[in-house]
Amino acid sequence: TRVFWGTAWTSKTLLAREMRAARKAEMRDGIRRVFKLDADEVAEEVPAYGNYVAEQVAKLGRNHPMVKTQYYSEEIDAEGGMFPLARMAMMQGNHLPSNAPKDDSLYALLVDVAGEDEGVGDDGDIDSLVNRRRDSTAVTVVEVDLLTLDDELINAPTYRVVQRHEWVGIKHTKLYGKIKALFEHWKASYIVVDATGVGTGLYSFLDSALPGSVIPYVFTSKSKSDLGWGFLAVIETGRYKEYKGSGDEDREAARIQKVFWMQVENCQSRVLDGPGKLMRWGVPDGTRDVGTGNLVHDDMLISAAMCWVLDDETWGMAKSMVIDAVDPLQDLEF
């Protein structure tokens, strides 16, 4: 007798294959071999576990892969599109893009850094590039809504995208000036910046100029996997929202937003076997827009995903005021 137990995760794991074989055997002889429980059934016997699962669902979302597999014994596809239509619909907000900060609002910048190209003009003009296959440096400006911090189960902000920028091949010394100017324009609280490889220099420039406001993110297989899982949690809990088109945006803003959604549609993910459940995700190399034939990258998507890093920061708004002191001599008689 052999006993297999655990979480199936995907249809390609050993446990999932053995479950299918056991079910076929059940159909032949009627002897039950598969015993499958989900969180709701366990919660009937252990209410405390049900409360714990409810907390995880609130933090990650019911359709987050971790929740579906770990708590509800549902298999997920090991490979496939990372953003199905239902998830993309959850990303769409009702707010409009903006070019300036609002009073009493908080903002942050999310920066995915590309390499620089000596063949590009100082303005980052894409048409002047010799190598058109390069990624761009993408900046996502998000408004940070603290209302969801009041939810004891979620306890994290909501992020609304209000503006995007991209520069291709621009020298990092000039890129530093542009990003610093954006930070000051939006009165941003934080910048999350890709500090991997060539991004290290840009991070150092910004950190020296804006101490305490710059958060480095170094990409490795593990950290990119964490970012992917974290971004899905932000989306599935309704805390990430893209701006909607108003028809009044300038042509460049409309173009950038179209490119972003193209990257979302073409993003693929793969969950690796093993206890770490590392997820490889991104737009596959060589992917092209079927309409234009242009290469599709994932720089804007990765920039957007970096909002998850902000979940670990301390948020709040403070106002200064003068409190009139009581005159200590006013009640004394002389």
Side-chain angles (χ1 to χ4, degrees):
T1 299
R2 293 181 299 172
V3 179
F4 298 87
W5 71 91
T7 301
W9 270 90
T10 74
S11 60
K12 296 183 179 181
T13 59
L14 173 63
L15 183 58
R17 295 196 302 269
E18 291 296 332
M19 285 175 60
R20 289 195 295 272
R23 286 199 172 102
K24 289 181 180 179
E26 287 178 345
M27 294 176 65
R28 289 195 301 268
D29 57 24
I31 300 174
R32 186 178 182 185
R33 293 175 174 83
V34 177
F35 299 84
K36 186 176 179 181
L37 293 173
D38 63 25
D40 294 336
E41 293 171 299
V42 177
E44 292 179 2
E45 301 293 332
V46 187
Y49 178 77
N51 294 335
Y52 169 77
V53 172
E55 292 178 0
Q56 297 306 304
V57 171
K59 290 179 180 179
L60 301 176
R62 175 59 179 84
N63 290 318
H64 191 282
M66 292 288 189
V67 172
K68 295 179 71 173
T69 56
Q70 298 290 309
Y71 304 120
Y72 289 93
S73 301
E74 299 170 359
E75 293 179 11
I76 60 173
D77 291 331
E79 300 181 34
M82 187 170 173
F83 299 94
L85 291 178
R87 186 166 289 154
M88 290 174 63
M90 291 193 69
M91 297 167 67
Q92 183 61 67
N94 294 316
H95 64 287
L96 296 175
S98 177
N99 291 317
K102 296 183 296 186
D103 293 338
D104 299 327
S105 290
L106 296 172
Y107 296 90
L109 273 58
L110 316 170
V111 184
D112 180 50
V113 181
E116 60 185 29
D117 194 314
E118 296 300 330
V120 72
D122 287 341
D123 59 354
D125 179 17
I126 295 176
D127 291 334
S128 68
L129 271 182
V130 175
N131 180 5
R132 297 171 185 265
R133 298 173 61 90
R134 300 183 68 89
D135 284 350
S136 62
T137 291
V139 178
T140 305
V141 182
V142 292
E143 179 183 357
V144 183
D145 185 344
L146 303 184
L147 287 179
T148 40
L149 279 173
D150 295 333
D151 189 310
E152 294 182 357
L153 295 180
I154 296 177
N155 193 32
T158 293
Y159 308 106
R160 296 189 184 92
V161 177
V162 294
Q163 193 178 68
R164 280 197 164 86
H165 297 270
E166 71 165 347
W167 298 284
V168 181
I170 190 170
K171 296 179 177 64
H172 285 185
T173 51
K174 293 188 177 295
L175 195 58
Y176 154 76
K178 290 178 179 290
I179 294 174
K180 183 173 179 289
L182 277 177
F183 178 89
E184 294 168 347
H185 171 72
W186 286 97
K187 301 179 176 64
S189 299
Y190 295 107
I191 301 178
V192 182
V193 60
D194 169 14
T196 312
V198 294
T200 304
L202 180 61
Y203 159 69
S204 297
F205 294 155
L206 291 169
D207 188 50
S208 296
L210 307 167
S213 298
V214 186
I215 306 168
Y217 198 80
V218 178
F219 281 93
T220 64
S221 295
K222 174 66 165 57
S223 68
K224 187 175 181 183
S225 174
D226 291 343
L227 186 68
W229 290 123
F231 188 39
L232 291 184
V234 175
I235 294 170
E236 292 294 340
T237 51
R239 297 190 296 111
Y240 178 88
K241 298 298 179 183
E242 283 290 332
Y243 62 77
K244 64 179 181 179
S246 65
D248 297 328
E249 304 98 329
D250 60 57
R251 293 177 60 184
E252 178 62 10
R255 182 195 68 80
I256 289 178
Q257 196 68 348
K258 182 178 179 181
V259 170
F260 167 76
W261 283 113
M262 181 65 65
Q263 294 181 5
V264 172
E265 291 174 7
N266 284 277
C267 182
Q268 300 290 306
S269 64
R270 177 188 174 198
V271 180
L272 303 183
D273 293 335
K277 299 306 175 189
L278 291 179
M279 177 170 61
R280 291 180 178 170
W281 63 281
V283 176
D285 289 343
T287 299
R288 292 184 179 273
D289 181 343
V290 294
T292 65
N294 294 332
L295 284 166
V296 180
H297 299 291
D298 53 17
D299 32 56
M300 294 186 194
L301 175 57
I302 291 175
S303 167
M306 293 167 79
C307 68
W308 169 71
V309 179
L310 297 170
D311 277 4
D312 291 331
E313 298 306 312
T314 300
W315 291 97
M317 296 190 68
K319 293 184 178 180
S320 61
M321 61 183 299
V322 176
I323 300 176
D324 294 331
V326 176
D327 184 352
L329 303 179
Q330 66 181 3
D331 295 327
L332 297 180
E333 296 182 1
F334 295 94

